[in-house]
């Protein structure tokens, strides 16, 4: 049975049982504890917590999930995956244990002809919580599972919670016996490779308190309602029904491995080491494609860092398998072809997905090239010192600072006849992971208590009147002070106010909230911010200037008209810039985020590489030409599918309802899904002036611009600046660039001449230093403070020249400078001194700490820098003592 069919049968089974089918949420949700959605129940958390009333009593979904805590184990075992699909059915105060158990059993064991999965009931085992006699009795007496195939387990295995205060409860897990060839007899307690968990039924009936771990917390008491949350692993069911050994051999994953075989020339199953690499590619390619589809871009922290790491592990695994050149597009294509039936966005948005993935591959291939040079330097240093092992710290620096994988370090070391201190490297990596885990745990906290808003979420959405008017009469539904509902608030108070209707725009879609007032006879209150709760309830954050605001009051809510005018210009200007970007750069330049406020906008978009100046000028020109056309701005509501067929652009990673609002400017020029406020015609935007363009992450660029009067003011300043330069340089404005270029060229020539004179002066001092060399045993030693102001580069030249003037005698030269509080230093020895046992590198390592610095190098020359000039005399003393000790 194909995986797509397994998904479909699950949803059909529960829809026929009266459940509402709910689409998978984005992998990115606004949850402070989650980088990515990692379980099927995550989008339903507000219902389980009682913060919102669910619009249905029962639901079913197949949720896409990503878990990356065990990323290092992916490929090493066949049990770990970063991306997986969790099929679930949910009850919010409707059926409980018996309903969950019997519905799961009927789907698992029902015949395939009747829409079931057709599992042999004699091979199914179940576990229940230690004291859950009710669940055990249902399995035994209602379903008919023999008691010898029901096992009781403790909290660590059969008691579920989110890991933070909130709903929790015992669970019952369903296992399938794969047969004696996969492990020992004795049920799940004996061997969880043979007895494979395929479904977990969670009976949410209690509330947990503070604590850590899976079993170190207090159970506070029962929940108001008993809920059901189940999760069936689609991939696990797939490999059982497809008769293969693990998920990597199923219909949606094995094709990626086949492509890797084709590109590398190696065969899956021939080598354990290669098999790990094949599995890493197959797993990570799926995960990366799904993350990019939901709006994640490679970066250096958070979600972006996870994606970057996944993509780079694909690249390095392909390289270690022997694949030459770029491979990412091939893997992304296979993922699209296998997964698009369930996730059509992989096909419709493939151009952007592949562009982001290939861009990261290109960047990393460059990193590998530079990392190889760094490795060669480290290897040369090891050989020069007579060693054969690259230190764990060096390997860790290559990995952590330069992104050079340890796998390649080990491979290249072996080719160079060297080894790597793997134990030291692993220890440093373990320390890094421990610190990261501790940091993540310190930032993990309970879900914000939004229950105070539940009444108003259940009541229905705030009526937003701001599309039609800037002043609305409204009723005060509630006043909240510090999260607590209060009957009234007086002058000087800062409170939250919920109205039944409001013209003030609540921050969303990149547009910041309106400013305005709430007034009534004897009352004035300034609205500082407006935020949404559950995307439906407007919460006005206000400061009361005079009078008293009381729940139930009739008030007038007003938008600052100048603020709204600027806000509409900024938001409509954002749409124009987006359309201009796509016209100039092509369809791959799609939105990756935006922010607009009165007079200003910034727009992030997917793109590889810096924009040329000509491209920026063309984008600005296209946007302003469209503005000058005075296009009508039309808004209308329609079905989501119809809007997409019309070509309306949507923000990636955003969840939209069945009905959406479309903003159309100039017919086909710009059409986007948007809930923001806009001008009536494009000419009202005024003007768009691009301020600049920069990178904000791998594959993501950002443009910033002023609009309207702010654009005019910016250009006026630029014009004044240009006039000032024209006057100072005594040339017309159009000749300023040529004049500046000429001045820069003359400055470069002067600087080179100055550098030459300075070097000449420095070298002239070499003879003086050589003549002053002191005799220490058999060594001629120069250990002095360098001339004031000598740069590190000149210092190296000077030391080398002094050493050359010392003839065949054993010679050691050490100079320490003092340049603007920095202490550059260089040490050099000739062959005769080295034969006596004097090493420049060793000397530097001994005295560098005395000047607050570090340094290193080879036996003939070493250098470094410090920050404490007061230590120079002591450092020179150490040099003399050390040379005297070696030279006798």
């Amino acid at each position: 049975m194909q995986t797509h069919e397994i998904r479909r049968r699950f949803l059909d089974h529960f829809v026929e049982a009266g459940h509402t089918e709910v689409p998978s949420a984005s992998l990115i949700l606004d949850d402070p504890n989650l980088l990515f959605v990692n379980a099927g129940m995550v989008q339903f958390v507000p219902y389980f917590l009682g913060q919102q009333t669910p619009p249905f009593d029962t639901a079913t979904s197949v949720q896409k999930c990503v878990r990356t805590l065990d990323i290092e184990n992916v490929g090493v075992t066949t049990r770990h995956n970063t991306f997986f699909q969790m099929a679930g059915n949910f009850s919010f105060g409707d059926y409980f244990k018996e309903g969950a158990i019997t519905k799961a059993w009927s789907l698992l064991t029902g015949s395939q002809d009747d829409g079931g999965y057709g599992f042999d009931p004699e091979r199914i085992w179940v576990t229940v919580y230690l004291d859950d006699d009710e669940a055990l009795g249902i399995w035994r007496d209602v379903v008919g599972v023999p008691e010898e195939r029901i096992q009781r387990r403790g909290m660590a295995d059969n008691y579920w919670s989110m890991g933070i205060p909130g709903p929790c409860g015992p669970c019952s897990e369903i296992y399938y016996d794969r047969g004696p060839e996969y492990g020992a007899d004795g049920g799940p307690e004996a061997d969880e490779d043979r007895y494979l968990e395929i479904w977990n039924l969670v009976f949410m009936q209690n509330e947990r308190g503070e604590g850590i771990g899976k079993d170190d917390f207090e159970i506070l008491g029962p929940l108001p309602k008993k809920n059901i949350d189940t999760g069936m692993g689609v991939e696990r069911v797939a490999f059982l029904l497809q008769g293969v050994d693990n998920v990597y051999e199923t219909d949606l994953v094995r094709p990626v491995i086949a492509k890797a075989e084709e590109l590398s020339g190696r065969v899956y199953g021939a080598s354990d080491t290669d098999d790990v690499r094949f599995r890493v590619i197959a797993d990570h390619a799926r995960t990366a494609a799904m993350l990019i589809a939901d709006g994640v871009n490679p970066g250096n922290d958070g979600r972006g860092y996870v994606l970057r790491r996944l993509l780079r592990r694909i690249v390095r695994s392909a390289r270690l398998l022997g694949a030459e050149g770029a491979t990412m597009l091939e893997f992304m294509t296979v993922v699209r072809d296998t997964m698009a039936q369930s996730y059509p966005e992989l096909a419709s948005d493939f151009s952007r997905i592949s562009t982001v993935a290939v861009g990261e591959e290109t960047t990393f291939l460059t990193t590998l090239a530079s990392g190889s040079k760094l490795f060669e330097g480290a290897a040369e240093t090891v050989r020069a010192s007579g060693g054969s092992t690259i230190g764990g710290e060096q390997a860790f620096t290559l990995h952590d600072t330069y992104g050079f994988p340890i796998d390649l370090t080990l491979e290249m070391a072996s080719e160079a006849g060297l080894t790597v201190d793997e134990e030291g490297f692993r220890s440093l990596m373990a320390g890094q992971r421990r610190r990261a885990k501790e940091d993540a745990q310190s930032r993990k906290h309970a879900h914000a208590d939004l229950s105070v808003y539940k009444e108003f979420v259940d009541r229905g959405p705030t009526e937003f009147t701001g599309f039609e008017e800037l002043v609305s009469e409204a009723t005060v539904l509630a006043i909240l002070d510090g999260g607590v509902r209060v009957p009234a608030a007086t002058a000087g108070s800062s409170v939250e106010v919920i109205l039944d209707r409001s013209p003030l725009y609540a921050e969303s879609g990149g547009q910041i909230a309106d400013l305005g007032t709430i007034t009534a006879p004897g009352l004035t209150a300034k609205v500082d911010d407006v935020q949404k709760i559950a995307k439906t309830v407007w919460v006005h954050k206000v400061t009361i200037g005079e009078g008293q605001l009381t729940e139930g009051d009739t008030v007038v809510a007003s938008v600052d008209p100048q603020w709204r005018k600027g806000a509409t210009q900024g938001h409509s200007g954002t749409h124009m810039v987006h359309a201009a970007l796509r016209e100039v750069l092509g369809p791959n330049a799609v939105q990756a985020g935006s922010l607009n406020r009165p007079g200003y906008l910034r727009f992030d978009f997917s793109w590889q590489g810096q924009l040329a100046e000509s491209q920026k000028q063309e984008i600005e020109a296209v946007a302003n030409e469209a503005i000058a056309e005075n296009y009508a701005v039309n808004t209308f509501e329609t079905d989501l599918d119809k809007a997409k067929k019309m070509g309306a652009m949507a923000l990636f990673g955003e969840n939209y309802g069945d009905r959406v609002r479309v903003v159309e400017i100039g017919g086909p020029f710009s059409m986007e899904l948007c809930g923001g406020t806009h001008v009536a015609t494009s000419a009202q935007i005024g003007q768009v002036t691009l301020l600049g363009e920069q990178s904000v992450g791998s594959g993501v660029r950002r443009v910033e611009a002023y609009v309207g009067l702010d654009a005019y003011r910016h250009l006026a300043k630029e014009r004044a600046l240009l006039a000032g330069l024209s006057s100072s340089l005594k040339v017309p404005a159009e000749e300023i660039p040529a004049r500046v270029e000429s001045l820069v060229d003359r400055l470069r020539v002067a600087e080179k001449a100055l550098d030459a004179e300075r070097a000449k002066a420095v070298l002239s001092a070499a003879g003086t230093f050589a003549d002053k060399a002191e005799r220490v045993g058999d060594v001629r030693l120069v250990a002095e403070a360098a001339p004031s102001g000598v740069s590190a580069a000149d210092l190296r030249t000077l030391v080398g020249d002094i050493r050359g003037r010392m003839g065949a005698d054993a010679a050691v030269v050490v100079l320490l400078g003092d340049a603007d509080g920095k202490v550059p230093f260089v040490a050099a020895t000739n062959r005769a001194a080295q034969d006596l046992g004097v090493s420049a590198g060793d000397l530097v390592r001994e005295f560098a700490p005395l000047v607050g610095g570090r340094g290193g190098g080879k036996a003939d020359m070493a250098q470094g820098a410090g920050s404490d000039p007061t230590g120079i005399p002591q450092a020179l003393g150490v040099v003399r003592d050390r040379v005297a000790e070696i030279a006798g």
Side-chain angles (χ1 to χ4, degrees):
M1 187 181 296
Q2 299 297 292
T3 304
H4 298 302
E5 176 65 14
I6 293 169
R7 285 170 43 94
R8 188 67 261 158
R9 288 185 180 224
F10 186 95
L11 294 171
D12 288 348
H13 177 77
F14 285 100
V15 168
E16 289 172 6
H19 294 60
T20 298
E21 181 178 336
V22 179
S24 171
S26 166
L27 285 166
I28 308 167
L29 286 187
D30 185 18
D31 187 314
N33 296 313
L34 296 176
L35 274 180
F36 307 112
V37 169
N38 62 359
M41 53 74 66
V42 170
Q43 67 170 312
F44 302 116
V45 165
Y47 306 149
F48 291 130
L49 290 175
Q51 295 173 351
Q52 297 178 30
T53 300
F56 32 65
D57 293 330
T58 59
T60 184
S61 70
V62 177
Q63 174 66 47
K64 49 191 177 183
C65 302
V66 168
R67 294 179 186 172
T68 58
L69 288 177
D70 297 320
I71 191 170
E72 297 292 346
N73 289 322
V74 170
V76 177
T77 75
T78 57
R79 295 177 58 187
H80 291 87
N81 298 108
T82 52
F83 172 80
F84 58 94
Q85 301 170 86
M86 187 62 73
N89 57 288
F90 308 91
S91 167
F92 309 103
D94 191 78
Y95 62 83
F96 198 47
K97 291 182 183 179
E98 183 169 338
I101 290 171
T102 55
K103 287 176 174 59
W105 182 261
S106 63
L107 175 60
L108 288 174
T109 61
S111 74
Q112 293 190 5
D113 290 341
D114 294 332
Y117 292 143
F119 281 110
D120 181 356
E122 300 300 318
R123 299 178 70 172
I124 291 179
W125 289 61
V126 295
T127 62
V128 297
Y129 182 55
L130 285 174
D131 63 359
D132 194 349
D133 295 331
E134 181 186 1
L136 187 146
I138 295 168
W139 280 114
R140 182 191 60 210
D141 303 331
V142 178
V143 174
V145 176
E147 193 161 351
E148 59 267 22
R149 295 210 309 271
I150 306 173
Q151 296 181 329
R152 297 179 186 263
R153 304 183 81 174
M155 287 189 74
D157 295 300
N158 275 71
Y159 202 95
W160 181 91
S161 78
M162 291 187 291
I164 54 176
C168 65
C171 59
S172 180
E173 296 174 331
I174 304 173
Y175 293 79
Y176 184 76
D177 181 2
R178 303 168 69 195
E181 63 271 28
Y182 290 98
D185 290 333
E189 285 188 335
D191 192 324
E192 289 197 15
D193 281 327
R194 170 176 171 174
Y195 301 91
L196 186 76
E197 180 192 345
I198 55 176
W199 206 335
N200 186 15
L201 315 178
V202 179
F203 311 130
M204 281 193 196
Q205 59 191 52
N206 298 316
E207 182 178 1
R208 65 158 280 179
E210 297 285 351
I212 58 174
K214 292 185 176 182
D215 51 8
D216 184 19
F217 56 82
E218 181 183 3
I219 298 175
L220 302 178
L223 291 171
K225 290 184 178 180
K226 293 182 177 180
N227 307 304
I228 288 294
D229 157 32
T230 86
M232 186 195 81
V234 172
E235 282 79 6
R236 291 191 175 188
V237 170
F239 81 70
L240 291 174
L241 291 180
Q242 291 173 21
V244 295
D245 284 342
N246 57 68
V247 66
Y248 292 96
E249 298 174 15
T250 59
D251 61 317
L252 299 189
V253 186
R254 186 62 175 83
V256 184
I257 293 177
K259 177 57 67 174
E261 289 177 309
E262 175 189 326
L263 295 172
S264 67
R266 299 191 189 178
V267 178
Y268 182 62
S271 159
D272 288 342
T273 300
D274 282 355
D275 285 355
V276 170
R277 295 163 183 163
F278 279 119
R279 289 192 287 264
V280 165
I281 292 170
D283 173 87
H284 290 3
R286 295 206 316 159
T287 307
M290 300 303 293
L291 289 177
I292 298 170
D294 276 353
V296 182
N297 285 287
N300 292 325
D301 53 28
R303 298 181 177 109
Y305 177 73
V306 172
L307 174 59
R308 168 164 288 167
R309 190 176 177 202
L310 294 171
L311 290 169
R312 292 188 169 195
R313 279 169 63 90
I314 295 171
V315 175
R316 87 177 190 220
S317 297
R319 174 173 169 150
L320 289 169
L321 284 171
E324 298 290 338
T327 59
M328 191 65 70
L329 181 59
E330 301 273 8
F331 295 139
M332 291 295 113
T333 300
V334 175
V335 173
R336 176 199 64 190
D337 293 345
T338 55
M339 298 286 290
Q341 183 176 331
S342 294
Y343 302 99
E345 63 270 22
L346 293 175
S348 61
D349 194 24
F350 182 71
S351 179
R352 184 185 66 88
I353 293 169
S354 59
T355 297
V356 172
V358 170
E360 182 62 24
E361 177 184 37
T362 302
T363 300
F364 187 47
L365 287 173
T366 303
T367 297
L368 290 178
S370 59
S372 296
K373 294 178 182 177
L374 292 166
F375 171 83
E376 289 299 333
E380 186 178 342
T381 301
V382 170
R383 292 193 198 95
S385 67
S388 62
T389 301
I390 294 176
E393 185 174 350
Q394 290 170 297
F396 180 76
T397 300
L398 279 167
H399 168 85
D400 191 56
T401 305
Y402 300 102
F404 201 66
I406 184 62
D407 316 53
L408 292 180
T409 300
L410 292 168
E411 181 183 274
M412 293 174 68
S414 177
E415 292 172 353
L418 302 172
T419 59
V420 178
D421 177 13
E422 286 191 73
E423 184 176 340
F425 171 81
R426 304 293 176 195
S427 175
L428 290 166
M429 283 295 295
Q432 185 188 64
R433 288 195 199 97
R434 183 182 64 255
R435 290 189 296 273
K437 187 174 182 180
E438 290 170 351
D439 180 60
Q441 187 63 41
S442 70
R443 289 185 281 108
K444 191 172 185 179
H445 52 80
H447 289 272
D449 185 4
L450 303 179
S451 56
V452 69
Y453 304 105
K454 182 176 181 296
E455 173 187 339
F456 309 102
V457 174
D458 291 347
R459 181 182 183 275
T462 301
E463 180 187 353
F464 177 60
T465 61
F467 291 137
E468 296 81 29
E469 60 189 22
L470 298 183
V471 180
S472 298
E473 188 176 84
T475 300
V476 177
L477 299 180
I479 304 169
L480 297 104
D481 187 353
V484 177
R485 191 167 176 178
V486 295
T490 56
S493 301
S494 293
V495 294
E496 294 181 345
V497 178
I498 299 175
L499 305 175
D500 63 335
R501 58 203 305 266
S502 174
L504 290 119
Y505 185 80
E507 181 176 348
S508 62
Q511 180 177 333
I512 66 174
D514 280 335
L515 299 182
T517 60
I518 294 176
T519 59
L523 167 75
T524 61
K526 188 175 92 168
V527 179
D528 303 307
D529 190 16
V530 188
Q531 295 293 324
K532 291 182 184 180
I533 298 295
K535 298 185 179 182
T536 60
V537 176
W538 267 229
V539 176
H540 305 74
K541 299 183 179 182
V542 309
T543 301
I544 299 178
E546 61 179 45
Q548 176 172 293
L549 181 68
T550 304
E551 185 176 309
D553 279 354
T554 298
V555 296
V556 174
S558 305
V559 180
D560 180 331
Q562 288 303 115
W563 178 274
R564 171 62 72 81
K565 179 182 178 182
T568 59
Q569 289 176 315
H571 203 154
S572 297
T574 303
H575 285 221
M576 303 304 275
V577 169
H578 186 191
L581 279 163
R582 291 173 61 80
E583 183 168 319
V584 174
L585 302 178
N588 287 336
V590 294
Q591 184 173 358
S594 67
L595 173 72
N596 48 79
R597 61 173 184 260
Y600 167 87
L601 68 89
R602 77 173 190 225
F603 188 86
D604 297 344
F605 59 100
S606 300
W607 193 253
Q608 296 293 332
Q610 185 175 357
L611 299 187
E613 189 62 35
S614 59
Q615 290 175 311
K616 289 186 280 188
Q617 291 174 0
E618 187 178 359
I619 291 164
E620 188 176 79
V622 168
N624 282 301
E625 286 168 6
I627 289 170
E629 288 292 332
N630 200 23
Y631 289 135
V633 178
N634 299 312
T635 62
F636 58 90
E637 287 193 358
T638 186
D639 295 335
L640 177 59
D641 289 341
K642 185 176 180 181
K644 288 182 176 179
K645 289 176 182 176
M646 294 170 62
M649 298 293 297
L651 180 62
F652 294 100
E654 183 70 21
N655 288 325
Y656 296 95
D658 292 335
R659 297 286 293 177
V660 293
R661 183 170 180 261
V662 178
V663 176
E664 176 192 68
I665 306 177
F669 181 74
S670 172
M671 186 183 297
E672 299 190 32
L673 304 186
C674 179
T677 60
H678 289 272
V679 296
T681 67
S682 63
Q684 293 178 1
I685 296 170
Q687 182 174 1
V688 170
T689 299
L690 293 189
L691 303 178
E693 179 263 347
Q694 60 183 318
S695 170
V696 290
S698 179
V700 181
R701 309 294 297 181
R702 171 175 292 170
V703 292
E704 296 179 277
Y706 284 135
V707 297
L709 279 177
D710 288 87
Y712 167 76
R713 295 185 186 105
H714 173 74
L715 291 175
K717 288 180 182 178
E718 296 271 297
R719 187 168 61 245
L721 177 61
L722 197 61
L725 284 172
S726 177
S727 175
S728 298
L729 297 175
K730 295 181 172 55
V731 295
E734 62 269 17
E735 294 180 17
I736 288 176
R739 179 68 169 170
V740 170
E741 185 177 355
S742 173
L743 290 173
V744 170
D745 288 341
R746 289 169 59 187
L747 180 61
R748 288 198 189 101
V749 171
E751 287 178 339
K752 285 183 180 179
L754 186 61
D755 287 342
E757 286 299 316
R758 186 170 62 247
K760 184 177 178 181
V762 167
L763 292 177
S764 68
T768 304
F769 277 111
D771 292 340
K772 290 167 53 180
E774 58 187 295
R775 178 70 65 174
V776 179
D778 295 329
V779 174
R780 292 182 66 193
L781 172 64
V782 174
E784 300 285 347
S788 178
V790 175
S791 68
D794 288 341
L795 194 61
R796 183 181 177 94
T797 302
L798 178 58
V799 167
D801 196 41
I802 296 170
R803 180 181 59 181
R805 292 170 182 262
M806 305 283 272
D809 291 343
V812 177
V813 183
V814 178
L815 293 184
L816 291 91
D818 181 359
D820 298 324
K822 300 291 184 183
V823 186
F825 51 78
V826 179
T829 64
N830 61 10
R831 173 57 64 184
Q834 294 165 39
D835 290 343
L836 292 174
V838 184
S839 165
D842 290 344
L843 288 176
V844 161
R845 280 186 282 274
E846 284 197 49
F847 73 72
L850 300 174
V851 292
R854 298 176 62 185
K858 301 178 184 179
D860 64 329
M861 184 169 282
Q863 63 187 28
S867 58
D868 183 9
T870 63
I872 291 177
Q874 187 179 0
L876 294 173
V878 166
V879 171
R880 293 187 181 94
D881 292 344
R882 183 61 179 146
V883 171
E885 180 183 338
I886 295 173

